[in-house]
């Protein structure tokens, strides 16, 4: 018995040593003697510290940090500092070793990285909300990008070995990977990571489709190889003639990307021809790169006819994550479309290994430092003191920090770089926050545009300001950059505070009259009763008369110089208040949007059994695709599938999501908000719109706000409709009006 234990212990020791040898072989950069010693020391420390732990699969735990270090070396190309930190990444969290020990043994830098990694991990353990988590990931990112790169390697190894985890954990990890790590990998140019993240999470979430595509790829492999050879054969002679070393090969596309195509194009696997791309990688000195790549392009297109619209030149203008390559699609044998990627070894390494490789080649390519610029914009949002984690995440996602950029120009011809999707108002805030605050009109290429106008590459902008202008809440919908959003939000906050002060004073006077002594507890009780999120919101509501003081005192009264709530029964005995005030609190009044009694099936059962409300962030209308989300205190909330909050909810609280389907209710009534923009060509616009809606379409308008600006108007109309058909008809009909240029449903 004991012999068996020792035998397996010896086996395990061998396994661990073998893994370490593999790590050493994977290191490509030359190591100093000190590096080697430190690495050995880190390895030994990890082995002894984790000696009592096992992974879910039963393996010795230390194989995990060794594998993570190997990924760092082999697949990201990181150097000794990061490799040592990777070996130690779970030591402080899981064992008796302290950060101080690490610092004494390996120095400040490595201790800092390990600390960053430990903090990231503990954030997961306490299951803190995802947004907070994400903010942490990014704060460490701007401090030392290696922390995030090691974290990526950690995540990748955990995904590769995920099969020993229980199903529900797998799903959570997959959602989190799609939510944070996949877009981050994209932004850091770690394409291989991104592909593997997507493939593995698909395997978890859609195992049947995954295995089916994998099987079909396997079955068609021989045909594909034959085809690739047929494609390459006529090219090789001409490529040889160039006298430049090159590699040419077919690269299969990822299972996820094939599946994506099947879904989006609605074609069966058998009809997808671009299951692979041809890649040609040339080995040339930096000053010859562009010339030779275009020479290769010319050789390829001499043999195979190109489709000119599919030409993408990311060599002249690289992508904002540093990607450089020349892509084209040509018509290959049998008339099939084949994508060809042309690049140099340097470009290939950057494309495969991202960030680390990029820094290695810093200064080689002529492109401005795309990473620095991106990190700056991340820093900018992180440093905004007014944004909390959830807002931050929204900013981050909508700010398109993951996406590409556009180039626009000032009247003097200076180039300004903004994220794709940025608006004219974003531009104004980018120039200067004061220009943003006081912006009254913007012209693009000498034509006046609405402030929310989406910019295109090459636009030239001019901003008109007026010192009396100031931001309002609606402006938040007209910008996408974090900077503009933060500035508008803080201006709004300031405004609310100032105006709220007047509301507060009114309330103070009233409480004084009633001889209520303690102001704070009284206000606290009101905030709670009406469900405001802060005192300022209450004061502001009083100021704007959304909630009047007489209304408040239908629910509260004085007793022993204290504020007490009037019980429900007593309130009901009181005379019925006039319509439009009283019984319903301000909050309920605005929330009570659904007038008819719409019915839903929740998880296949009649929804009457549940308490449910319609989410106000997306205002679902009968006919929309919806899901139910179980809130912690307010029953079920029905959201639209494409609600801006949906991804977040599904990623983080998957266990609270329920299926919801409509039971068609003919007389139900839903609120739908539409935004209308157009040209204000006289006083008749409002009449035109209301006439169309009320008289011609027979719909009720719940509220209507419109604002004109320099010949443009923008209005928000809240309509009562029975279902999405009715809403779509209304949108179409409004669109047909002369002066209307766009009608969109507000998401
Ligand atoms: Mn780990």
């Amino acid at each position: 018995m004991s012999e068996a234990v020792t035998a397996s212990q010896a086996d395990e020791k061998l396994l661990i040593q073998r893994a370490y040898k593999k790590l050493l072989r994977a290191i490509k950069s030359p190591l100093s003697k000190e590096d080697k010693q430190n690495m050995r020391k880190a390895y030994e420390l990890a082995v002894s510290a984790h000696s009592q732990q096992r992974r879910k699969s039963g393996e010795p735990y230390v194989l995990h940090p060794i594998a993570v270090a190997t990924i760092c070396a082999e697949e990201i190309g990181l150097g000794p500092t990061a490799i040592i930190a990777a070996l130690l990444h779970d030591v402080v969290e899981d064992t008796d070793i302290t950060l101080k020990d690490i610092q004494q043994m390996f120095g400040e830098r490595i201790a800092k990285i390990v600390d960053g990694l430990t903090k990231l991990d503990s954030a997961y353990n306490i299951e803190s909300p995802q947004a907070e988590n994400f903010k942490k990931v990014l704060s460490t990112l701007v401090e030392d990008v290696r922390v995030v790169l090691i974290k990526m390697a950690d995540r990748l190894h955990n995904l590769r070995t995920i099969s020993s985890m229980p199903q529900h954990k797998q799903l959570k990890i997959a959602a989190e990977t799609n939510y944070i790590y996949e877009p981050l990998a994209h932004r850091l140019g770690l394409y291989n990571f991104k592909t593997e993240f997507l493939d593995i999470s698909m395997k978890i979430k859609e195992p049947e489709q995954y295995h089916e595509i994998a099987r079909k790829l396997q079955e068609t492999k021989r045909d594909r190889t034959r085809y690739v050879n047929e494609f390459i054969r006529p090219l090789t002679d001409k490529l040889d003639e160039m006298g430049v070393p090159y590699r040419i090969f077919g690269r299969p596309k990822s299972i996820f990307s094939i599946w994506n195509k099947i879904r989006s194009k609605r074609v069966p696997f058998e009809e997808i021809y671009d299951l692979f791309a041809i890649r040609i990688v040339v080995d040339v000195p930096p000053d010859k790169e562009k010339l030779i790549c275009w020479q290769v392009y010319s050789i390829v297109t001499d043999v195979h006819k190109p489709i000119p619209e599919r030409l993408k030149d990311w060599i002249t203008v690289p992508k904002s994550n540093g990607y450089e390559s020349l892509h084209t699609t040509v018509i290959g044998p049998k008339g099939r479309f084949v994508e060809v990627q042309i690049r140099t070894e340097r470009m290939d390494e950057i494309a495969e290994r991202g960030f680390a490789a990029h820094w290695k080649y810093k200064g080689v390519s002529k492109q401005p430092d795309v990473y620095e610029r991106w990190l700056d914009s991340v820093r900018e949002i992180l440093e905004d003191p007014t944004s909390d984690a959830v807002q931050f995440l929204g900013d981050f996602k909508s700010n398109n920090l993951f996406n590409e950029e556009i180039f626009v120009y000032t009247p003097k011809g200076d180039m300004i770089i903004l994220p794709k999707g940025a608006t004219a108002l974003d531009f104004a805030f980018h120039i200067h926050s004061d220009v943003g605050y006081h912006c009254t009109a913007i012209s693009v290429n000498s034509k006046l545009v609405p402030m929310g106008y989406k910019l295109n590459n090459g636009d030239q902008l001019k901003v008109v300001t007026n010192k009396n202008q100031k931001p309002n809440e609606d402006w938040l919908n007209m910008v996408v950059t974090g900077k503009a959003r933060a500035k508008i939000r803080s201006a709004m906050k300031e405004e609310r505070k100032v105006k709220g002060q007047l509301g507060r004073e009114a309330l103070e006077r009233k409480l004084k009259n009633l001889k209520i002594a303690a102001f704070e507890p009284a206000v606290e009780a009101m905030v709670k009763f009406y469900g405001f999120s802060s005192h300022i919101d209450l004061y502001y509501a009083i100021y704007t008369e959304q909630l009047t003081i007489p209304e408040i005192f239908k629910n509260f009264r004085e007793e022993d110089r204290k504020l007490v709530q009037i019980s429900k029964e007593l309130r009901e005995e009181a005379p019925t208040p006039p319509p439009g005030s009283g019984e319903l609190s301000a909050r309920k009044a605005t929330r009570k949007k659904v007038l008819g009694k719409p019915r839903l099936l929740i998880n296949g059962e009649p929804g009457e059994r549940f308490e449910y409300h319609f989410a106000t962030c997306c205002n679902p209308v009968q006919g929309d695709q919806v899901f139910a989300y179980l809130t912690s205190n307010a029953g079920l909330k029905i959201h639209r599938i494409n609600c801006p909050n949906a991804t977040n909810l599904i990623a983080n609280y998957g266990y609270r999501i329920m299926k919801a389907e409509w039971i068609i209710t003919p007389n139900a009534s839903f609120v739908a908000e539409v935004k209308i923009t157009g040209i204000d060509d006289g006083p008749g616009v409002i009449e035109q719109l209301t006439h169309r809606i009320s008289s011609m379409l027979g719909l009720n308008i719940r509220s209507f706000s419109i604002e004109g600006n320099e010949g443009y108007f923008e209005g928000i109309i809240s309509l009562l409709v029975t279902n999405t058909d009715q809403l779509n008809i209304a949108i179409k009909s409004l669109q047909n009006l002369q002066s209307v240029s766009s009608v969109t449903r507000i998401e």
Side-chain angles (χ1 to χ4, degrees):
M1 183 82 184
S2 73
E3 231 166 79
V5 170
T6 25
S8 84
Q9 271 174 348
D11 280 354
E12 284 187 348
K13 214 169 160 194
L14 209 67
L15 207 65
I16 295 167
Q17 279 167 359
R18 215 175 284 148
Y20 184 60
K21 277 203 193 109
K22 186 176 166 232
L23 164 63
L24 292 179
R25 275 197 308 274
I27 299 170
K28 291 178 183 105
S29 47
L31 297 176
S32 69
K33 211 174 158 213
E34 202 195 335
D35 287 338
K36 278 185 195 152
Q37 280 167 356
N38 273 334
M39 208 169 304
R40 181 89 211 170
K41 224 164 52 178
Y43 162 67
E44 275 160 11
L45 179 64
V47 169
S48 74
H50 293 300
S51 64
Q52 299 306 316
Q53 285 172 280
R54 288 190 177 270
R55 303 198 80 209
K56 273 259 150 41
S57 60
E59 298 181 311
Y61 190 86
V62 74
L63 289 174
H64 165 67
I66 297 174
V68 172
T70 311
I71 294 172
C72 288
E74 198 161 31
E75 297 174 52
I76 316 180
L78 292 174
T81 309
I83 294 170
I84 291 168
L87 282 171
L88 301 173
H89 83 268
D90 279 334
V91 155
V92 174
E93 201 195 330
D94 298 344
T95 76
D96 297 336
I97 311 287
T98 66
L99 207 57
K100 223 165 168 197
D101 299 332
I102 304 252
Q103 195 192 334
Q104 274 160 3
M105 289 173 78
F106 300 96
E108 185 66 35
R109 191 70 264 160
I110 287 175
K112 265 241 164 81
I113 299 179
V114 173
D115 187 32
L117 287 160
T118 310
K119 280 191 186 129
L120 278 184
D121 267 347
S122 57
Y124 293 115
N125 288 349
I126 56 168
E127 302 222 340
S128 71
Q130 206 71 64
E132 193 56 59
N133 222 329
F134 190 56
K135 195 168 179 177
K136 279 205 185 105
V137 174
L138 285 165
S139 321
T140 50
L141 172 80
V142 293
E143 243 173 58
D144 188 333
V145 76
R146 283 174 293 194
V147 177
V148 168
L149 295 176
I150 298 168
K151 189 72 208 164
M152 291 274 186
D154 183 30
R155 170 59 49 134
L156 186 57
H157 184 247
N158 285 334
L159 282 169
R160 283 177 182 170
T161 53
I162 202 168
S163 56
S164 36
M165 287 275 188
Q167 173 76 9
H168 71 279
K169 277 223 172 113
Q170 290 194 14
L171 284 170
K172 186 173 187 314
I173 291 173
E176 195 178 74
T177 303
N178 284 345
Y179 196 58
I180 298 183
Y181 292 96
E182 180 263 304
L184 211 49
H186 173 82
R187 200 56 190 74
L188 292 169
L190 291 164
Y191 283 109
N192 288 345
F193 276 61
K194 175 184 167 176
T195 305
E196 207 171 334
F197 284 160
L198 285 170
D199 269 8
I200 298 177
S201 43
M202 177 192 166
K203 195 174 169 183
I204 294 166
K205 292 193 289 192
E206 312 280 351
E208 276 157 38
Q209 281 99 323
Y210 179 90
H211 290 296
E212 190 185 323
I213 294 173
R215 183 176 55 79
K216 285 184 173 163
L217 272 177
Q218 195 56 38
E219 283 169 6
T220 52
K221 198 174 171 187
R222 198 181 298 162
D223 286 347
R224 216 160 37 245
T225 314
R226 201 177 306 132
Y227 187 85
V228 167
N229 289 337
E230 205 179 320
F231 184 91
I232 291 176
R233 209 173 305 122
L235 291 172
T236 45
D237 277 353
K238 298 191 178 185
L239 288 170
D240 289 343
E241 270 169 39
M242 283 197 310
V244 169
Y246 71 91
R247 300 183 281 139
I248 181 166
F249 49 93
R251 253 185 79 88
K253 296 230 163 135
S254 73
I255 293 182
F256 175 83
S257 69
I258 294 169
W259 180 55
N260 211 14
K261 200 157 261 172
I262 291 176
R263 275 189 310 176
S264 62
K265 302 234 162 108
R266 294 171 194 277
V267 291
F269 178 91
E270 289 68 27
E271 278 170 38
I272 295 180
Y273 286 122
D274 51 348
L275 296 169
F276 63 92
I278 298 286
R279 188 175 295 170
I280 305 170
V281 185
V282 290
D283 192 2
V284 291
D287 59 322
K288 291 267 170 58
E289 289 189 325
K290 199 170 167 183
L291 187 74
I292 300 289
C293 287
W294 282 102
Q295 200 179 335
V296 172
Y297 172 82
S298 145
I299 291 173
V300 172
T301 51
D302 276 349
V303 175
H304 302 294
K305 191 171 175 281
I307 300 166
E309 310 88 72
R310 301 274 192 94
L311 175 65
K312 278 177 193 136
D313 174 11
W314 287 305
I315 292 181
T316 311
V317 184
K319 282 195 185 183
S320 52
N321 61 11
Y323 183 82
E324 293 171 79
S325 196
L326 190 59
H327 288 196
T328 185
T329 298
V330 298
I331 302 171
K334 293 177 197 148
R336 289 194 200 167
F337 287 12
V338 176
E339 183 183 298
V340 182
Q341 306 168 346
I342 303 163
R343 54 173 80 156
T344 66
E345 291 289 351
R346 179 188 66 82
M347 297 171 189
D348 196 49
E349 197 178 346
I350 289 178
E352 300 275 296
R353 308 213 284 179
F355 208 94
H358 176 87
W359 290 94
K360 187 170 130 200
Y361 290 110
K362 217 173 161 181
V364 171
S365 96
K366 282 177 206 73
Q367 52 173 302
D369 203 320
V370 289
Y371 278 121
E372 283 298 354
R373 204 166 63 220
W374 182 62
L375 287 176
D376 275 347
S377 51
V378 175
R379 248 176 237 127
E380 205 169 79
I381 308 188
L382 280 167
E383 280 159 11
D384 171 19
T386 59
S387 120
D388 64 28
V390 175
Q391 257 172 16
F392 167 82
L393 186 69
D395 284 352
F396 196 85
K397 290 223 143 184
S398 64
N399 197 1
N400 298 325
L401 280 179
F402 292 131
N403 287 334
E404 323 282 310
E405 293 159 332
I406 53 164
F407 305 95
V408 295
Y409 299 89
T410 67
K412 282 186 193 154
D414 292 333
M415 187 172 81
I416 304 284
I417 301 170
L418 290 168
K420 202 170 172 180
T423 64
L425 192 56
D426 280 310
F427 173 87
F429 276 96
H430 185 91
I431 297 298
H432 193 274
S433 41
D434 281 337
V435 176
Y437 286 142
H438 303 308
C439 162
T440 55
I442 304 170
S443 67
V444 169
N445 308 329
S446 315
K447 266 185 16 220
L448 222 49
V449 296
M451 299 211 266
Y453 169 87
K454 208 185 244 171
L455 299 175
N456 295 310
N457 256 325
D459 279 348
Q460 189 165 37
L461 288 94
K462 191 167 167 255
V463 181
V464 181
T465 56
N466 178 324
K467 68 178 183 345
N468 295 325
Q469 173 77 316
K470 57 185 171 187
N472 63 56
E473 208 108 12
D474 295 337
W475 284 25
L476 285 171
N477 300 324
M478 300 178 199
V479 295
V480 305
T481 61
K483 183 179 178 179
R485 204 171 285 243
K487 296 284 175 203
I488 296 168
R489 219 182 266 134
S490 75
M492 297 310 306
K493 231 179 194 169
E494 204 35 55
E495 175 103 355
R496 280 174 93 85
K497 231 185 193 157
V498 171
K499 292 196 168 143
Q501 191 54 33
L502 300 169
R504 180 193 162 108
E505 282 161 17
L507 188 60
E508 264 175 339
R509 276 195 298 276
K510 175 74 183 178
L511 291 178
K512 226 184 212 156
N513 284 343
L514 290 172
K515 308 232 181 319
I516 289 171
F519 181 70
E520 282 299 324
V523 170
E524 199 57 56
M526 293 175 196
V527 166
K528 218 173 147 196
F529 180 83
Y530 290 106
F532 287 109
S533 58
S534 74
H535 290 196
I536 292 175
D537 287 346
L538 170 71
Y539 302 148
Y540 188 70
I542 293 171
Y543 168 80
T544 56
E545 296 186 339
Q546 267 176 298
L547 178 64
T548 63
I549 289 179
E551 269 178 71
I552 294 177
F553 285 92
K554 281 185 192 123
N555 291 313
F556 290 98
R557 62 185 166 81
E558 182 266 349
E559 195 181 295
D560 294 337
R561 310 194 63 196
K562 275 191 195 122
L563 186 82
V564 293
Q565 203 178 309
I566 299 170
S567 69
K568 210 176 166 221
E569 301 80 69
L570 282 175
R571 258 183 290 143
E572 268 157 18
E573 279 168 26
T576 324
S581 71
E583 246 357 49
L584 287 171
S585 72
R587 192 154 173 261
K588 277 186 192 150
T590 53
R591 285 264 167 109
K592 195 182 162 135
K593 288 195 169 173
V594 178
L595 304 178
K597 269 224 167 139
R599 298 181 55 216
L600 285 160
L601 281 177
I602 306 285
N603 269 359
E605 289 181 41
E608 283 78 11
R609 302 230 210 123
F610 306 91
E611 181 197 356
Y612 57 83
H613 302 278
F614 291 88
T616 46
C617 47
C618 55
N619 287 331
V621 167
Q622 181 165 232
D624 283 327
Q625 292 234 55
V626 289
F627 66 91
Y629 171 74
L630 181 62
T631 64
S632 48
N633 55 5
L636 292 168
K637 274 262 153 70
I638 310 298
H639 288 266
R640 279 156 69 186
I641 296 273
N642 54 1
C643 168
N645 297 321
T647 332
N648 177 20
L649 294 177
I650 294 170
N652 299 317
Y653 308 102
Y655 56 95
R656 294 183 167 187
I657 304 294
M658 295 174 151
K659 203 167 119 188
E661 296 151 286
W662 300 100
I663 300 173
I664 303 300
T665 320
N667 55 355
S669 174
F670 298 85
V671 170
E673 292 190 314
V674 294
K675 185 167 139 185
I676 303 187
T677 64
I679 303 140
D680 192 355
D681 55 0
V685 177
I686 297 178
E687 281 85 321
Q688 267 184 47
L689 292 171
T690 49
H691 176 73
R692 179 65 57 113
I693 296 166
S694 316
S695 317
M696 294 177 69
L697 295 161
L699 297 177
N700 285 322
I701 297 176
R702 204 172 132 273
S703 72
F704 191 151
S705 70
I706 190 161
E707 236 171 273
N709 221 330
E710 306 274 343
Y712 272 88
F713 74 84
E714 224 181 83
I716 294 188
I717 303 182
S718 148
L719 296 169
L720 294 177
V721 295
T722 304
N723 52 37
T724 44
D725 289 343
Q726 214 175 51
L727 175 60
N728 291 334
I729 290 169
I731 288 176
K732 267 209 196 100
S733 166
L734 290 169
Q735 221 139 29
N736 287 339
L737 287 171
Q738 266 274 269
S739 48
V740 170
S741 50
S742 78
V743 185
T744 43
R745 180 164 174 204
I746 294 173
E747 293 295 335

